[in-house]
């Protein structure tokens, strides 16, 4: 049985966070493993807001008052992470929910893994725009590629970048070669 079918059966064909039945899909809870124990069935509204924290509709997430009590560890983890994010935005009701929420130690550690990822310094382009893995950027100056024997020209598009451990650097393919680029020499497209 596929993960989607397994989750649909587990969730009674509704979003495990808000209860909606529209446009359901699988959300892999980071750090994700492709199995149903590490995934949650979510609607398109929840999915888009989980993927893009800038688009959070605070009132939509009041649904966590119910879903935080789920017996499914992945649902607990997603609920805890979102409540933590909302509490950080000044939503006192979210902090109240966090104070009431119970999770066993293993699930709490899983939930807190996201905090370690969020605490790292953001990678910024030349305009100060935060970059994410998978973004597309454009070079703003000619760059000599050491060891590559070519110059990456200004205006070259670099698609699907990767972030490195150093927030000042990104990685991407130029002329078929994977290179490290200083983030200040690109702008997000």
């Amino acid at each position: 049985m596929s993960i989607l079918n397994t989750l649909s059966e587990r969730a009674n064909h509704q979003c495990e966070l808000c209860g909606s039945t529209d446009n359901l899909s699988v959300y892999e809870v980071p750090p994700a493993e492709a199995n149903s124990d590490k995934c949650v069935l979510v609607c398109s509204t929840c999915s888009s807001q989980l993927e893009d924290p800038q688009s959070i509709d605070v009132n939509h997430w009041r649904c966590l008052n119910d879903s935080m009590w789920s017996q499914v560890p992945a649902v607990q983890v997603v609920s805890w992470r979102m409540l933590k994010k909302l509490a950080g935005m000044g939503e006192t009701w979210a902090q109240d929910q966090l104070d009431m929420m119970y999770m066993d130690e293993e699930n709490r550690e899983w939930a807190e893994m996201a905090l370690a990822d969020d605490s790292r310094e953001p990678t910024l382009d030349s305009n100060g725009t935060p970059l994410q893995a998978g973004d597309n950027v454009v070079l703003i100056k000619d760059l000599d590629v050491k060891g590559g024997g070519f110059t990456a020209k200004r205006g070259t598009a670099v698609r699907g970048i990767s972030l490195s451990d150093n927030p000042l650097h990104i990685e991407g393919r130029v002329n078929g070669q994977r290179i490290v680029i200083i983030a200040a020499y690109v702008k997000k497209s």
Side-chain angles (χ1 to χ4, degrees):
M1 190 175 338
S2 74
I3 292 175
L4 180 61
N5 291 340
T6 303
L7 292 179
S8 291
E9 202 169 288
R10 176 180 84 192
N12 199 21
H13 304 284
Q14 61 185 12
C15 177
E16 291 183 277
L17 300 175
C18 73
S20 173
T21 56
D22 297 331
N23 300 321
L24 299 175
S25 62
V26 175
Y27 174 73
E28 294 179 352
V29 183
E33 299 170 16
N35 74 47
S36 60
D37 293 338
K38 301 288 186 175
C39 297
V40 177
L41 188 67
V42 295
C43 66
S44 58
T45 303
C46 289
S47 177
S48 64
Q49 293 184 42
L50 287 167
E51 298 291 337
D52 180 16
Q54 308 305 327
S55 69
I56 290 178
D57 173 12
V58 174
N59 289 324
H60 173 76
W61 292 105
R62 292 190 182 268
C63 62
L64 297 176
N65 293 341
D66 295 325
S67 60
M68 68 185 239
W69 301 112
S70 172
Q71 296 299 309
V72 179
V75 175
Q76 290 177 1
V77 167
V78 172
S79 298
W80 187 90
R81 288 178 180 174
M82 186 53 74
L83 286 169
K84 194 78 168 163
K85 194 170 289 187
L86 292 165
M89 296 169 57
E91 295 297 322
T92 54
W93 65 269
Q95 185 59 54
D96 293 342
Q97 296 301 319
L98 276 172
D99 293 343
M100 286 191 295
M101 190 172 182
Y102 171 78
M103 295 172 72
D104 65 32
E105 194 171 322
E106 183 180 325
N107 292 337
R108 173 74 62 142
E109 288 173 6
W110 179 19
E112 289 175 348
M113 284 180 191
L115 296 181
D117 292 343
D118 290 346
S119 66
R120 66 176 246 144
E121 189 176 329
T123 301
L124 305 175
D125 73 358
S126 60
N127 297 324
T129 304
L131 296 172
Q132 302 291 327
D135 283 347
N136 298 327
V137 298
V138 175
L139 299 179
I140 61 168
K141 67 180 274 182
D142 290 351
L143 302 174
D144 289 326
V145 179
K146 295 180 179 159
F150 67 93
T151 300
K153 297 292 185 187
R154 179 177 162 213
T156 300
V158 182
R159 294 183 185 1
I161 64 166
S162 299
L163 301 180
S164 69
D165 292 337
N166 184 341
L168 301 178
H169 297 151
I170 62 170
E171 295 180 17
R173 285 203 178 282
V174 176
N175 291 349
Q177 288 189 348
R178 187 150 190 86
I179 63 171
V180 175
I181 305 167
I182 296 173
Y185 296 156
V186 301
K187 70 177 182 176
K188 190 173 179 177
S189 54

